Amino acid sequence: MARRSITPGRGCGGCLGLLFGWPFVGYLLLLPITLPALLADQKHGPRTTTPAQEAVLWLVSALVVLALAWAAQGRRRPKPLLLLTHTALLSCAAALAAWGATRVNRSITANLRAHPSGGAGSPTELPWSFTATLETVAAAFAVAMTFHAIRWWCRRDDPPPRVVIHGPRPGTDRPGSTEREVRRPRPGEIWLAHIPKREDESDTLRHYCVIVRNRASYAEVMQITSQDKTGWRDFIPFPNDGWDHTEREHWLEVALPPRRVPYGSFLKPTPQGDCPEGAWEAITQIMSRAEGRHRTTKNRAGRSTGGQRQKQQGAGGNRKTRRPPRPPQGSGRSAKPG
């Protein structure tokens, strides 16, 4: 069984975020409600907010909800309609939680007024601090639950962020540990790996590569080479921006299908860098055209196979419906002796 890697301070950070982070988020979300209540409860100073102050408070609350909806979708670029839907869900969760806390507060206040416990001097309503704390905690809890639900829904089809690799590190014969945990490569990253040859997949070469897709146990990559491929149709120039600080020129193999590289063949636990934007756009276009050609070929093959089946079925049906010609009437009778 693989050992779990424990990062020092991660548990403390999660506890602090749970204790102080989400309550602070709930406090920011309920500023348009709690701050006017605080001003109305105080005895000195302004007891109401101006329209400009209310607009600023609602703007802060809206920005916080929008940031939460954006963060819930992870690294992917959010779609506008989906972002607005998640923003509305988070807003409804905070509003319902605040409404429920207000109803609880009113019930407790009514109970105190109906059944005073300390005589005439007992309080007949809850202080503002208790009410604001109850509403803030309720809103923070509801928003946190909704946030994690949206995050789970958006990432339910994503592969696990880390993968456990069994066996020694490629290229080394050290006996050491036979299990290591690395971060799963993401599309658009440049990694160093042992890439299998197309002629013989059992033989590998050490190359940089661009991750095109990541699967359960392997990644589909495009190989980067430093050999001069000027004028070759199968290769395009690949810039060194952000991943290789040497002066060597590189080329990317784009004409052939991507190669499958098992996760155990990656040589480093972290990527070399990100693919330059221009090169990634070219890779995306090439992959989209290849998928379009594959779908067209598949549809043509399906249509041709279906047409042949129809022809065979039609020919078989005609053979089945045909009847042999009837013999002449006199041919089937036996001749009478003379």
Side-chain angles (χ1 to χ4, degrees):
M1 183 176 180
R3 293 177 298 177
R4 296 181 60 184
S5 60
I6 301 177
T7 303
R10 181 178 297 180
C12 296
C15 292
L16 291 176
L18 182 63
L19 293 176
F20 300 100
W22 285 111
F24 180 70
V25 171
Y27 169 75
L28 293 178
L29 291 176
L30 295 185
L31 272 179
I33 300 175
T34 57
L35 188 58
L38 172 62
L39 294 178
D41 188 68
Q42 67 181 0
K43 298 180 180 180
H44 304 285
R47 300 178 62 88
T48 57
T49 56
T50 62
Q53 292 175 346
E54 291 183 359
V56 172
L57 294 177
W58 283 108
L59 179 62
V60 170
S61 180
L63 291 178
V64 171
V65 174
L66 186 62
L68 288 175
W70 190 295
Q73 301 187 23
R75 294 177 178 269
R76 66 187 66 185
R77 181 177 297 177
K79 298 180 180 179
L81 182 59
L82 197 60
L83 182 63
L84 292 177
T85 303
H86 294 164
T87 304
L89 288 176
L90 291 170
S91 302
C92 291
L96 288 176
W99 177 78
T102 304
R103 292 294 300 269
V104 171
N105 181 28
R106 291 178 180 176
S107 300
I108 297 175
T109 303
N111 189 18
L112 289 177
R113 291 177 180 177
H115 306 284
S117 59
S122 61
T124 58
E125 61 181 8
L126 296 174
W128 172 88
S129 58
F130 178 84
T131 303
T133 303
L134 183 63
E135 294 175 350
T136 300
V137 172
F141 179 78
V143 170
M145 296 296 293
T146 308
F147 174 84
H148 287 291
I150 294 173
R151 190 175 184 179
W152 172 83
W153 179 262
C154 293
R155 298 183 179 182
R156 67 190 188 280
D157 297 330
D158 293 348
R162 302 186 70 84
V163 59
V164 177
I165 298 176
H166 302 275
R169 187 181 297 274
T172 61
D173 297 330
R174 292 180 297 180
S177 176
T178 59
E179 293 182 353
R180 56 193 175 97
E181 185 179 2
V182 298
R183 181 174 68 79
R184 187 183 297 269
R186 301 189 184 98
E189 293 179 342
I190 300 175
W191 285 70
L192 179 64
H194 279 296
I195 301 178
K197 294 182 178 180
R198 295 189 183 275
E199 300 82 8
D200 185 9
E201 294 185 356
S202 61
D203 190 9
T204 59
L205 291 176
R206 180 189 178 101
H207 279 285
Y208 290 108
C209 59
V210 180
I211 308 299
V212 179
R213 299 186 187 92
N214 49 8
R215 304 298 186 182
S217 59
Y218 64 89
E220 297 182 5
V221 306
M222 287 187 174
Q223 177 181 324
I224 301 174
T225 179
S226 58
Q227 298 180 1
D228 189 4
K229 301 295 182 180
T230 305
W232 289 51
R233 296 182 179 179
D234 298 345
F235 294 83
I236 61 173
F238 194 79
N240 299 341
D241 300 339
W243 69 276
D244 188 5
H245 302 287
T246 63
E247 297 181 356
R248 293 183 302 176
E249 296 182 355
H250 293 84
W251 285 264
L252 181 69
E253 184 183 31
V254 294
L256 299 177
R259 306 188 190 188
R260 296 182 177 183
V261 178
Y263 291 121
S265 298
F266 288 93
L267 301 178
K268 293 184 178 181
T270 56
Q272 186 74 10
D274 294 330
C275 181
E277 294 183 1
W280 182 247
E281 291 179 358
I283 293 172
T284 305
Q285 294 176 2
I286 292 170
M287 294 299 297
S288 61
R289 288 198 298 266
E291 290 179 357
R293 288 195 299 267
H294 176 70
R295 291 175 182 174
T296 304
T297 305
K298 187 175 180 180
N299 293 336
R300 289 178 179 176
R303 287 197 298 267
S304 62
T305 306
Q308 292 177 1
R309 290 178 180 175
Q310 290 179 359
K311 290 180 180 179
Q312 293 176 359
Q313 292 176 0
N318 293 335
R319 286 196 298 268
K320 290 180 180 179
T321 55
R322 289 177 183 176
R323 296 180 179 178
R326 295 181 179 179
Q329 295 180 358
S331 61
R333 298 177 182 178
S334 60
K336 294 181 179 181

